[in-house]
Amino acid sequence: MDFTFTEEQRAAVEAARAVFADVAPDGVPSPALTPGAVADDFDRPLWAKLAASDLLGLVLAEEHGGAGLDTIALCLVLREAARVLARVPLLEHCATAMAVQAHGSPELAAALLPGAGRGTLVLTAAANGRSGHDPAELAVTARLDGEAWVLEGTQTAVPWAHTADWIAVPAHTGEGESVLALVPRTAEGLALAEQVSTSGERFAELALDGVRVERSHLIDNPEAWERLRQLLTTGTCALALGLGEGVLRMTSQYTSKREQFGFPVATFQAVAVQAADRYIDLRAMEVTLWQAAWRLDAATGGAGGPLPSAGDVAVAKIWASEGVRRVVQTAQHLHGGFGADTDYPLHRYHAWAKQLELQLGPAAAHEEALGDLLAAHPLA
């Protein structure tokens, strides 16, 4: 595996850093002081800047007005976004666009992707099922009725659903096959109930009651939902990495200035050891992230490995879900009471980290899934 990023990928990082340079993590009310959502909408001015910098079409083919880059490039940009807690549906939007591009009909791609690349059309995805614990594709049923598919069921905790234009909804048919439906937010029979994430963002519970979807707006290739799920998971690992790096940098700056007994606390051995342990966590999160992102692109290109790409994604999830929690907990500890001050941004990073940890799920579950993969695909 080559860890050297391409010139195009490095250019995407530079563009992202320029766009996110002026983003303030405390640009909205604190989630700790707000009973509901911190805002009704995502950061539209930032979204417009991303579109103007061609970062929303980063992973789209040139025929759809994109740059034709890969999952690694997307994760590099997501990493930069998380360092400043950028409030935009960049992950859900781009991952859904990638799934449509790879598996959707030409009609569906032509209808959604050009607008998605320009930012005039916003995509999101329902990936949490009824409760966040059961497989999302089992939460909704899809049956063919004449020239349309009819969807019934519930999806919970759908990010940015109230302000997205289209929602990717996984479902299952009577034959047990997984499908992916692209549903307009204004579709008849679709009801959205407001939910609030741990980070204070506006989510939604989707209730689908006889929602009719055109044939061309439903992807019946079972690989479409699996690819979207893995893209969302890998992108979440990238967000966890960027957030963790931002938190460790804040901790380094604080402990270098904060003095006890006439010396910066960063010079104390106990402080330095804890910070070093968290640095090791971040490097492990990074290497497993790039392995998972590379495998997703390699699998698309036909390259295989001893395990399916789901194995690499599971390893990345194990490190990300545990690592981001340890990083923010250590940061809070080393900041002392100052870390809980709502006038200081660390508590916002803690809330976002907890949200990402909840999205990724417990490491033990990923270890069990990895064990099942190893049992089904012996390496020897």
Side-chain angles (χ1 to χ4, degrees):
M1 181 178 175
D2 185 359
F3 283 97
T4 305
F5 297 120
T6 66
E7 182 178 346
E8 292 80 5
Q9 290 166 346
R10 292 194 297 269
V13 173
E14 292 302 317
R17 286 176 179 170
V19 170
F20 296 128
D22 297 327
V23 176
D26 55 357
V28 291
S30 165
L33 304 176
T34 308
V38 295
D40 292 333
D41 198 357
F42 57 83
D43 190 339
R44 293 282 180 173
L46 178 57
W47 188 253
K49 291 181 180 179
L50 288 168
S53 299
D54 296 326
L55 290 172
L56 298 182
L58 190 72
V59 292
L60 297 180
E62 293 182 6
E63 63 187 276
H64 302 303
L69 298 188
D70 53 15
T71 307
I72 294 176
L74 173 60
C75 288
L76 283 166
V77 174
L78 289 170
R79 180 189 192 180
E80 297 300 322
R83 286 175 174 168
V84 295
L85 305 185
R87 301 182 50 260
V88 286
L90 185 61
L91 169 57
E92 296 81 7
H93 180 83
C94 291
T96 300
M98 292 177 75
V100 170
Q101 179 172 256
H103 301 287
S105 66
E107 295 82 4
L108 182 60
L112 300 185
L113 299 186
R118 294 190 301 269
T120 57
L121 185 151
V122 181
L123 308 175
T124 190
N128 293 308
R130 286 183 292 266
S131 64
H133 299 288
D134 52 340
E137 69 272 17
L138 300 182
V140 175
T141 60
R143 60 180 175 84
L144 190 59
D145 182 21
E147 292 301 313
W149 288 85
V150 179
L151 305 180
E152 303 273 356
T154 302
Q155 294 277 0
T156 192
V158 182
W160 320 106
H162 289 279
T163 48
D165 298 295
W166 291 80
I167 305 169
V169 180
H172 70 281
T173 67
E175 290 74 28
E177 297 178 347
S178 298
V179 296
L180 187 64
L182 275 296
V183 181
R185 175 175 48 85
T186 56
E188 185 177 352
L190 177 63
L192 280 65
E194 185 155 330
Q195 297 177 316
V196 180
S197 72
T198 301
S199 55
E201 300 301 337
R202 192 184 187 197
F203 281 19
E205 180 186 77
L206 268 60
L208 299 101
D209 183 11
V211 175
R212 298 182 67 84
V213 177
E214 298 177 20
R215 277 179 180 260
S216 62
H217 289 174
L218 186 136
I219 307 172
D220 58 7
N221 186 337
E223 294 182 5
W225 162 237
E226 179 62 16
R227 175 162 176 76
L228 176 55
R229 187 184 65 80
Q230 291 191 13
L231 286 169
L232 291 170
T233 301
T234 304
T236 303
C237 293
L239 293 173
L241 174 62
L243 184 149
E245 289 174 332
V247 166
L248 191 61
R249 184 180 298 109
M250 291 172 59
T251 305
S252 173
Q253 293 171 349
Y254 177 79
T255 56
S256 297
K257 297 176 182 178
R258 179 76 166 91
E259 292 188 357
Q260 286 286 346
F261 312 111
F263 298 93
V265 296
T267 63
F268 298 168
Q269 186 178 34
V271 172
V273 167
Q274 290 183 70
D277 285 343
R278 301 295 77 82
Y279 177 82
I280 292 171
D281 276 335
L282 290 172
R283 297 290 68 79
M285 291 166 63
E286 183 177 14
V287 70
T288 54
L289 166 65
W290 301 136
Q291 172 72 11
W294 173 78
R295 278 301 311 279
L296 287 183
D297 290 329
T300 302
L307 286 177
S309 57
D312 299 280
V313 174
V315 173
K317 288 169 70 175
I318 291 168
W319 277 103
S321 62
E322 290 285 290
V324 73
R325 174 178 53 80
R326 288 194 292 257
V327 168
V328 294
Q329 285 180 343
T330 297
Q332 290 279 12
H333 175 65
L334 296 182
H335 273 83
F338 195 53
D341 188 344
T342 55
D343 291 328
Y344 186 68
L346 181 59
H347 78 286
R348 297 173 182 268
Y349 283 85
H350 202 155
W352 275 65
K354 179 56 66 175
Q355 177 63 40
L356 294 176
E357 181 189 356
L358 292 171
Q359 289 178 210
L360 289 166
H366 312 324
E367 291 165 354
E368 183 177 351
L370 183 59
D372 292 339
L373 284 171
L374 289 168
H377 301 83
L379 301 181

